[in-house]
């Protein structure tokens, strides 16, 4: 041994990376001749598209004007949104009662935001939600405190979209988890039932389920019994989404190493405890990315309820566009809708990424 | 480490804690375990060795029904293992198990790993369970890691946590399924030291291991298994110095 071994090792600084705008451009955009050509082409295309789009959307556009004023410009007529805001957002909800759905939506969004923090996931949160949901229902339906009754058939616009998606997601998830557990059950009856359910639902399009719920299902009900159309559509969405969630969750369950089951078993935990405390927390964490994919499409698929004549926000927008005054501004209306949907979807997906990070425990 | 209660071992142990009588097990058509007879008394330490595939892990996994046996009897602390799930859960709560790959719950902190069993199986109040947990973490000398997650610990530390997790259930018997096989050499000792302490305190232990130094210093009986049978068993001195069967001799010559 020579004496250098006992000296502390010399720690070298990491090599300096080239920095600065020019160096970055050279390294990333003009590093080979074909990359240079691609870069120049892309810039040219952007030059052709972006400035006209910008001037259409922002410079030559009108934001709050009458429909007549829009005829004289060649920019976007965003006025269609503010001038029809009541109908687009609330649809056929009776005039004079608009504060009720607005308050209900704010309450829903408020609760969702409040529930984002993991440290608030306690028993109290369950109570807040229960109370919140009762208040929301009362606000929407009315019938007490001098609020006139508004039948669910009149619920439309954003409240309907939010309701269908929110309850669709919230109810479908646990149902999907149960189905996934059922499909892995050792009891043949339960297993078969779950397999048949999952495969049947996944074998048909959502549209056909919605049709069945609105046309066929009432035929099977005894005379005099009616279940509201909104409720039936809601159920169809829940059942549909649950089948997809079930398969994703099953994937997560299968990814769990056998050692986790064995360790839980060897402590004497029973099946329910093992699932609840050991397996599901890990399995559900693994499947956050694919589940969020399903929840996002469930959210967007609620717009399919137009085909059974429910007026969600897509339908109310279309109705607005069929008004002769505003026909011709569909681009603006749909861009607005796209942005609205994007905000909700992006919110969900960025929250899921945050949750994933928070739940990461270093393995 | 030698206080008053060490080395009482077999002498006063009329109390049978594990009995295997004529036990057979098949995986499909493959006869993994054949006519296993084994009696373990309280405070006994038994080391089981043998080539891989000899059925030694399967045998101890039958004792807490991680594997099902098809013929014969297994009686643990007076409870016979049958399909009765209540009996199985009861036995599992009495029998601690340490796995080759630790099998800690990665989504729970170290302390939560330890308190899970006491809280949910023993119905111990959370506060008390945490006290028990900290006590055993101190015993395995990693109390300062209580708030960390298993993924942040070294293999040796994880295995010590796994031992502590079993101890929190105050088990009557501890089963060790190759507890040091997945560890880097420099971590084996810290785990063996914990196991030796445990043995000195009079814990009943069944250990599947290739650590023959451990067998020599701790075991009351050493058992050699091959081809699904218990080929030879003896006290460690005679087992190592004077093996009877050819297969035992061959095995010992290969690993010593």
């Amino acid at each position: 041994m020579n004496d250098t071994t006992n000296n502390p090792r010399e720690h070298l600084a990491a090599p300096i990376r080239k920095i600065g705008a020019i160096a970055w451009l050279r390294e990333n955009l003009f590093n080979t001749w074909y990359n240079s050509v691609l870069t120049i082409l892309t810039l040219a295309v952007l030059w052709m598209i972006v400035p006209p789009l910008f001037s259409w959307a922002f410079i030559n556009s009108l934001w709050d004007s009458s429909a007549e004023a829009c005829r004289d410009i060649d920019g976007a007529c965003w006025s269609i949104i503010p001038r029809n805001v009541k109908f687009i957002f609330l649809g056929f909800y009776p005039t004079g009662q608009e504060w009720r759905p607005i308050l209900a939506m704010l309450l829903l969004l408020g609760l969702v935001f409040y529930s984002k923090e993991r440290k608030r996931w306690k028993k109290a949160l369950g109570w807040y939600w229960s109370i919140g949901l009762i208040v929301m229902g009362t606000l929407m339906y009315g019938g007490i405190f001098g609020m006139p009754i508004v039948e669910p058939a009149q619920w439309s616009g954003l409240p309907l979209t939010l309701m269908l998606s929110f309850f669709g997601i919230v109810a479908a998830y646990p149902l999907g988890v149960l189905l996934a557990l059922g499909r892995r059950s050792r009891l043949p009856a339960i297993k078969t039932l779950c397999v048949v359910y999952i495969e049947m639902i996944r074998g048909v399009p959502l549209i056909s389920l919605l049709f069945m719920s609105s046309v066929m299902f009432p035929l099977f009900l005894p005379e005099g019994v009616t279940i509201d159309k909104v409720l039936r559509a809601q159920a169809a969405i829940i059942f549909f989404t649950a089948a997809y969630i079930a398969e994703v969750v099953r994937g997560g369950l299968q990814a769990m190493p056998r050692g986790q089951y064995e360790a839980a078993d060897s402590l004497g935990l029973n099946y329910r405890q093992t699932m609840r405390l050991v397996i599901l927390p890990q399995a559900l964490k693994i499947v956050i990315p694919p589940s969020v994919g399903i929840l996002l499409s469930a959210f967007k698929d609620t717009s399919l309820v137009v085909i059974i004549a429910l007026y969600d926000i897509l339908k109310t927008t279309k109705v607005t566009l069929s008004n002769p005054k505003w026909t011709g501004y569909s681009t603006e209306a749909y861009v607005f809708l796209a942005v609205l949907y994007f905000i909700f979807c992006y919110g969900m997906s960025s929250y899921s990424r945050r949750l994933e990070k928070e739940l990461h425990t270093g393995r | 480490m030698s206080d008053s209660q060490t080395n009482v071992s077999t002498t006063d142990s009329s109390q049978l804690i594990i009995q295997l009588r004529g036990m057979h097990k098949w995986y499909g058509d493959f006869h993994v375990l054949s006519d296993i007879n084994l009696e373990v008394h309280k405070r006994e330490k038994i080391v089981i060795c043998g080539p891989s595939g000899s059925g030694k892990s399967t045998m101890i996994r039958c004792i807490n029904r991680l594997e099902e046996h098809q013929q014969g009897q297994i009686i643990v602390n007076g409870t016979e293992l049958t399909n009765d799930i209540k009996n199985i859960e009861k036995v599992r709560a009495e029998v601690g198990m340490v796995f080759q790959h630790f099998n800690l719950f990665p989504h729970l902190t170290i302390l939560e790993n330890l308190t899970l069993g006491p809280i949910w199986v023993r119905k111990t109040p959370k506060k008390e369970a945490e006290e028990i947990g900290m006590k055993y973490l101190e015993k395995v000398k990693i109390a300062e890691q209580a708030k960390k997650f298993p993924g942040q610990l070294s293999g040796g530390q994880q295995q010590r946590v796994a031992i502590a997790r079993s101890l929190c259930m105050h088990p009557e018997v501890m089963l060790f399924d190759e507890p040091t096989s997945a560890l880097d050499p420099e971590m084996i000792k810290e785990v063996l030291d914990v196991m030796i302490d445990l043995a000195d305190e009079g814990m009943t232990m069944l250990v599947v291991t290739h650590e023959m130094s451990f067998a020599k210093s701790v075991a009351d009986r050493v058992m050699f298994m091959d081809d699904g049978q218990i080929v030879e068993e003896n006290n460690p001195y005679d087992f190592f110095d004077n093996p009877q069967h050819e297969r035992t001799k061959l095995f010992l010559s290969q690993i010593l």
Side-chain angles (χ1 to χ4, degrees):
Chain A
M1 294 239 174
N2 54 32
D3 54 279
T4 54
T5 41
N6 289 333
N7 289 338
R9 185 169 68 88
E10 189 190 354
H11 285 269
L12 296 174
I16 301 164
R17 294 189 60 218
K18 274 184 263 174
I19 37 173
I22 306 278
W24 184 89
L25 282 174
R26 265 214 196 117
E27 209 173 291
N28 293 290
L29 297 179
F30 296 99
N31 51 346
T32 57
W33 69 265
Y34 50 88
N35 270 356
S36 307
V37 170
L38 280 178
T39 305
I40 290 163
L41 270 178
T42 314
L43 284 176
V45 170
L46 284 177
W47 179 248
M48 283 190 297
I49 293 175
V50 175
L53 194 66
F54 187 81
S55 68
W56 173 80
F58 297 106
I59 298 175
N60 299 328
S61 58
L62 285 176
W63 291 81
D64 190 16
S65 64
S66 63
E68 289 71 33
C70 281
R71 308 272 175 227
D72 305 330
I73 54 159
D74 50 0
C77 180
W78 299 115
S79 317
I80 182 172
I81 308 301
R83 288 295 159 102
N84 296 291
V85 68
K86 195 244 149 186
F87 188 77
I88 291 179
F89 277 93
L90 300 176
F92 298 111
Y93 210 85
T95 312
Q97 302 294 321
E98 291 91 348
W99 61 276
R100 282 160 52 183
I102 292 173
L103 204 60
M105 277 192 291
L106 288 179
L107 191 57
L108 179 68
L109 294 177
L111 272 171
V112 168
F113 268 94
Y114 182 81
S115 314
K116 275 173 76 173
E117 299 298 329
R118 239 163 29 97
K119 59 174 191 285
R120 294 185 184 141
W121 294 0
K122 289 182 190 138
K123 219 176 217 153
L125 191 61
W127 288 112
Y128 297 158
W129 271 105
S130 315
I131 296 166
L133 290 178
I134 293 169
V135 173
M136 278 179 237
T138 318
L139 278 171
M140 291 297 289
Y141 189 76
I144 46 169
F145 304 127
M147 292 187 293
I149 290 180
V150 180
E151 292 294 336
Q154 287 174 285
W155 301 1
S156 34
L158 191 61
L160 183 69
T161 298
L162 286 185
M163 187 187 93
L164 288 174
S165 355
F166 179 78
F167 291 105
I169 288 169
V170 167
Y173 205 78
L175 183 60
V177 170
L178 286 180
L179 283 167
L181 291 175
R183 190 166 185 173
R184 287 168 58 84
S185 167
R186 263 183 287 174
L187 304 171
I190 292 181
K191 188 181 170 150
T192 320
L193 209 69
C194 290
V195 172
V196 168
Y197 174 88
I198 291 170
E199 296 307 333
M200 259 173 52
I201 297 279
R202 292 204 311 162
V204 293
L206 178 57
I207 292 199
S208 64
L209 276 183
L210 288 171
F211 264 131
M212 276 192 254
S213 76
S214 77
V215 183
M216 264 171 62
F217 182 67
L219 301 179
F220 297 116
L221 287 178
E223 215 167 323
V225 177
T226 52
I227 297 179
D228 185 76
K229 192 157 79 173
V230 177
L231 214 63
R232 295 192 313 250
Q234 178 79 79
I237 290 171
I238 291 172
F239 292 146
F240 184 79
T241 310
Y244 283 85
I245 289 288
E247 283 301 273
V248 164
V249 171
R250 189 167 70 97
L253 290 173
Q254 263 160 2
M256 291 304 299
R258 224 177 96 191
Q260 292 292 307
Y261 290 93
E262 290 180 350
D265 282 348
S266 74
L267 286 175
L269 295 173
N270 60 33
Y271 174 81
R272 283 183 53 180
Q273 293 168 335
T274 302
M275 285 302 160
R276 205 186 111 198
L277 302 166
V278 176
I279 304 299
L280 282 177
Q282 298 183 65
L284 294 184
K285 188 185 89 185
I286 303 176
V287 298
I288 287 178
S291 331
V292 170
I294 289 171
L295 299 183
L296 287 181
S297 42
F299 176 70
K300 291 175 290 182
D301 286 351
T302 55
S303 54
L304 290 174
V305 296
V306 286
I307 62 137
I308 52 168
L310 290 183
Y311 285 74
D312 79 324
I313 192 159
L314 181 65
K315 182 66 177 172
T316 54
T317 308
K318 284 176 97 164
V319 170
T320 308
L321 286 169
S322 65
N323 178 344
K325 244 169 81 177
W326 295 103
T327 14
Y329 301 114
S330 54
T331 315
E332 290 85 342
Y334 288 134
V335 166
F336 170 75
L337 269 193
V339 169
L340 197 67
Y341 270 99
F342 176 79
I343 290 171
F344 281 108
C345 290
Y346 185 76
M348 274 198 266
S349 78
S350 63
Y351 175 64
S352 84
R353 263 175 285 138
R354 192 183 100 186
L355 202 59
E356 246 178 289
K357 213 180 273 171
E358 278 180 9
L359 293 174
H360 183 72
T361 55
R363 192 166 105 178
Chain B
M1 259 297 139
S2 56
D3 46 35
S4 55
Q5 49 170 312
T6 50
N7 275 333
V8 200
S9 68
T10 42
T11 41
D12 73 328
S13 53
S14 50
Q15 206 183 336
L16 267 181
I17 193 142
I18 296 175
Q19 282 172 282
L20 275 66
R21 288 198 207 129
M23 192 263 275
H24 290 258
K25 172 167 179 62
W26 287 264
Y27 281 132
D29 284 338
F30 178 55
H31 201 175
V32 214
L33 292 175
S34 156
D35 194 27
I36 302 287
N37 289 287
L38 171 70
E39 292 196 333
V40 183
H41 296 86
K42 228 176 170 154
R43 292 174 166 265
E44 248 190 325
K45 292 117 193 78
I46 296 178
V47 167
I48 302 153
C49 59
S52 73
S54 60
K56 50 196 192 312
S57 289
T58 310
M59 184 182 82
I60 68 164
R61 287 160 60 87
C62 283
I63 293 172
N64 66 353
R65 194 77 168 188
L66 288 184
E67 304 279 353
E68 203 174 307
H69 64 287
Q70 279 95 26
Q71 206 179 311
Q73 273 185 310
I74 300 179
I75 299 164
V76 181
N77 209 15
T79 310
E80 180 171 0
L81 282 173
T82 56
N83 283 326
D84 185 345
I85 188 76
K86 281 278 155 266
N87 277 353
I88 294 174
E89 276 161 14
K90 190 172 148 204
V91 165
R92 283 172 176 167
E94 305 299 327
V95 176
M97 176 114 186
V98 176
F99 300 88
Q100 183 177 358
H101 295 288
F102 333 133
N103 295 348
L104 295 178
F105 306 127
H107 62 301
L108 299 177
T109 65
I110 299 303
L111 190 59
E112 286 165 347
N113 264 277
L114 267 65
T115 54
L116 196 68
I119 290 176
W120 293 93
V121 180
R122 297 265 188 250
K123 312 288 177 207
T124 315
K126 187 168 176 232
K127 256 242 158 69
E128 205 178 309
E130 282 176 349
E131 281 163 19
I132 298 171
M134 286 312 293
K135 186 179 103 187
Y136 283 106
L137 274 186
E138 264 156 41
K139 194 178 160 75
V140 299
K141 304 184 187 68
I142 28 181
E144 71 281 3
Q145 316 277 19
K147 294 274 174 277
K148 287 195 183 167
F149 287 97
Q152 297 165 307
L153 267 55
S154 74
Q157 290 173 324
Q158 290 194 44
Q159 193 60 300
R160 285 186 279 152
V161 172
I163 294 173
R165 177 175 67 180
S166 290
L167 290 176
C168 284
M169 296 290 291
H170 300 300
E172 297 284 331
V173 188
M174 286 282 283
L175 308 175
F176 293 83
D177 187 3
E178 307 207 27
T180 56
S181 303
L183 295 176
D184 291 336
E186 72 264 33
M187 293 171 180
I188 291 178
K189 189 176 175 295
E190 63 187 57
V191 171
L192 288 183
D193 284 347
V194 168
M195 289 168 62
I196 290 169
D197 284 353
L198 208 54
D200 287 343
E201 284 161 23
M203 175 62 76
T204 315
M205 292 162 75
L206 269 81
V207 186
V208 172
T209 185
H210 297 293
E211 294 297 327
M212 289 304 133
S213 61
F214 176 80
K216 280 176 188 166
S217 61
V218 170
D220 299 309
R221 274 191 284 162
V222 182
M223 216 171 255
F224 173 70
M225 284 185 74
D226 193 13
D227 199 21
Q229 287 172 309
I230 299 175
V231 175
E232 181 166 352
E233 63 168 288
N234 216 328
N235 64 63
Y237 312 104
D238 291 326
F239 182 86
F240 289 108
D241 296 340
N242 189 17
Q244 301 296 310
H245 288 261
E246 283 307 315
R247 280 192 281 180
T248 319
K249 285 177 193 164
L250 181 68
F251 178 74
L252 289 176
S253 72
Q254 281 165 343
I255 64 160
L256 288 179

